[in-house]
Amino acid sequence: MNFQLSEEHLMIQQAARDFANTELKPGVIDRDEHQKFPTEQIKKLGELGFLGMMVDPKYGGAGMDTISYVLVMEELSKIDASTSVVVSANNSLVCFGLEKYGSEAQKEKYLTPLATGEKLGAFALSEPEAGSDATSQHTTAEDMGDHYLLNGTKNWITNGSSASIYLVIAQTDVSKGSHGINVLIVERGMDGFTIGPKENKLGIRGSDTHSLMFNDVKVPKENRIAEDGFGFKFAMETLEGGRIGIAAQALGIASGAFELATNYSKERKTFGKPICQHQAIAFKLADMATEIEAARLLVLNAAWLKDQDLPYDKASSMAKLFASEVAMRTTVEAVQVHGGYGFVKEYHVERLMRDAKITQIYEGTSEIQKIVISRSILK
Ligand code: CAA
């Protein structure tokens, strides 16, 4: 068993670390405070190949593996989780399914601009009344022969207004339950498709989260991915991979907060010595480091299983469940180590604490991960 990263993985990790420090760090507080989308940064990430990391180069992708993807997600998330969620949604929630199940024509038309970063994508599953209970889709895609008529509302859509290509999950035949659901490629600008106002969020404030409204949108039949009724399985498989990306995001948030807390504890003095020399602080650092290491192993294990084409549903849910809880605990403790300074924006840890919370919610809450894990154990 070899726990060493390869030379190539180390180079990709270093490239992401350098990018995060030089391109993301300088404006991160301002983007968070004013909810500014990282437009320039996303353009540069596209040029580096980080928006279609695992896509075959023949469709404009970088042809990397999932291990590389999680290394990049961790490094970006140490500094700016608002930017990393854009990267994760495009890679895991949009490019992955399009490449695996899209037709050749769909890949040429939609995957290539997404993988190169020329266009951004969004994945639209959640609804006002269908978040965790994903089969209860109220959005309908009525079969009209040569097209579907799409009606309904989607909520909490990452890349809601920055995307131009949307994978929309909708119910075609309610009598068939999860087998009556389809996934359609919807383009921004189609008649009847409107985007709601930006959500004012607790964390990941630089990313744009919106509702999407569909009112008699005519979607051509050729925009359905895979066979009729495959939409629910498509969504579940997409989320299975997506959870590895979010687990890596949570890991990055935790390790970013840990690095800040460690550095601060070496500089800040109380009672005549650096606070890291008080056991009250040193023990906190030891707990954080241990949990982060355990989360990293779970994340890498899930990524490795996916790269080997082995089942990874349980592993990805375990990684997301554990890493998101570690992110929450670590960021709260990192604020505590900083004392009053931790409560102000300049020290970054309060933002990481706010950003950590969403990792326990999106792409399935912690409770949903426990459903997936327990079903896998008990089946
Ligand atoms: N891969 C392939 N097929 C799968 C699957 C998977 N991972 N998981 C389930 N399926 C299949 C099942 O085999 C079953 O097929 P059959 O009927 O042929 O046997 C079918 O799908 C229905 O499965 P279930 O009966 O297990 O479905 P369920 O209704 O009980 O739901 C659930 C299971 C795990 C709770 C699921 O609804 C779920 O994951 N919910 C959470 C959804 C979620 O994560 N939402 C977040 C929104 S996206 C987001 O946050 C993105 C963002 O912007 C960042």
Side-chain angles (χ1 to χ4, degrees), residues 65-75 244-245 248 299-300 303:
D65 58 8
T66 316
I67 300 273
S68 305
Y69 171 55
V70 298
L71 294 174
V72 168
M73 280 299 294
E74 179 182 353
E75 292 307 319
I244 302 177
V299 171
L300 288 170

Side-chain angles (χ1 to χ4, degrees), residues 298-319:
L298 282 175
V299 171
L300 288 170
N301 179 53
W304 181 84
L305 287 171
K306 181 165 175 283
D307 284 337
Q308 306 308 309
D309 269 336
L310 291 167
Y312 60 93
D313 56 337
K314 183 177 71 173
S316 71
S317 283
M318 281 181 167

Side-chain angles (χ1 to χ4, degrees), residues 126 132 135 158 179 232-233 236 239-240 243 363-364 375:
S126 300
S132 294
T135 31
T158 302
H179 294 264
F232 189 74
K233 289 195 180 181
M236 291 301 106
L239 286 168
E240 213 177 288
R243 287 167 186 157
E363 300 197 27
R375 281 184 179 184

Side-chain angles (χ1 to χ4, degrees), residues 109-110 119 164-166 185-190 193 223:
K109 186 168 177 193
Y110 298 111
K119 290 184 177 171
S164 36
I165 298 166
Y166 299 77
I185 304 169
V186 176
E187 290 183 48
R188 190 193 174 91
M190 279 181 169
F193 173 22
N223 280 27

Side-chain angles (χ1 to χ4, degrees), residues 264-282 336-341:
Y264 180 81
S265 74
K266 289 181 189 166
E267 286 161 17
R268 168 80 170 163
K269 288 188 178 142
T270 60
F271 306 102
K273 54 184 176 184
I275 60 171
C276 64
Q277 289 179 21
H278 297 299
Q279 277 194 340
I281 301 299
Q336 193 68 17
V337 170
H338 281 76
Y341 291 103

